Amino acid sequence: KITKVIDKFFEGKNLKYKIIVDKSKGTFSAILTNKKKLDNEFFYTNADEISDFNIYKNYIRFKKLKSNIMCAVLESKEGKLILNKKEKQIKRTLIKSNKKKYIDCGYKFVKKKILKNIKRKKLDKFENFIYDDYLNNNKVNYFEIKKLPLRIDTPKDIQRTKKKIKYAK
């Protein structure tokens, strides 16, 4: 049913997309299970979040930077990431710093080839791989979003999101 809703939303738009339906536990598990079905570059999103940003503009930036991974980040006091704005990279996970802090927002442009670098089999979140393993030896680029994504994770989140979308029209 959800694929019909997505198809209707994109109807008439000049956009190539592929929907992979999977019943694995978590999005990252679904990616690993369906690796062969993925294009060489793909856009990863948490399935329970909605945000407003220019996906095309950020994809062009991903290509221009020749990134393997480019993650959406948002400034947050609870953040554990800091940025190297000159290099357009997530510098490291935060230990203690007075610099601005950022959180990962669940949107990523990814080159499939990085999935070969996964050594641990028990990863439940893509972020664990990116920030615990991959970032240690590779660059991770970022793009900033300005608002926290709307969540549709729980019934309370769904009601809040419905209200915000209704008032935004």
Side-chain angles (χ1 to χ4, degrees), residues 1-10 17 19-21:
K1 185 177 178 179
I2 191 68
T3 57
K4 288 181 183 179
V5 172
I6 294 169
D7 287 337
K8 186 164 178 74
F9 178 80
F10 288 119
Y17 65 95
I19 300 168
I20 299 172
V21 178

Side-chain angles (χ1 to χ4, degrees), residues 2 6 20 25-31 42-53 55 70-73 103-110 124-128 130-131 143 145 148-153 157:
I2 191 68
I6 294 169
I20 299 172
K25 184 182 178 194
T27 311
F28 191 45
S29 176
I31 286 173
F42 63 93
F43 182 71
Y44 165 101
T45 180
N46 290 339
D48 61 352
E49 295 179 347
I50 302 167
S51 195
D52 183 16
F53 62 89
I55 192 169
M70 190 166 87
C71 305
V73 296
I103 58 172
D104 182 283
C105 291
Y107 304 103
K108 295 157 187 48
F109 294 97
V110 181
D124 61 337
K125 293 187 172 218
F126 201 9
E127 292 77 11
N128 293 349
I130 293 169
Y131 302 118
F143 62 99
I145 62 174
L148 195 62
L150 300 174
R151 297 184 57 91
I152 54 172
D153 206 26
D157 288 338

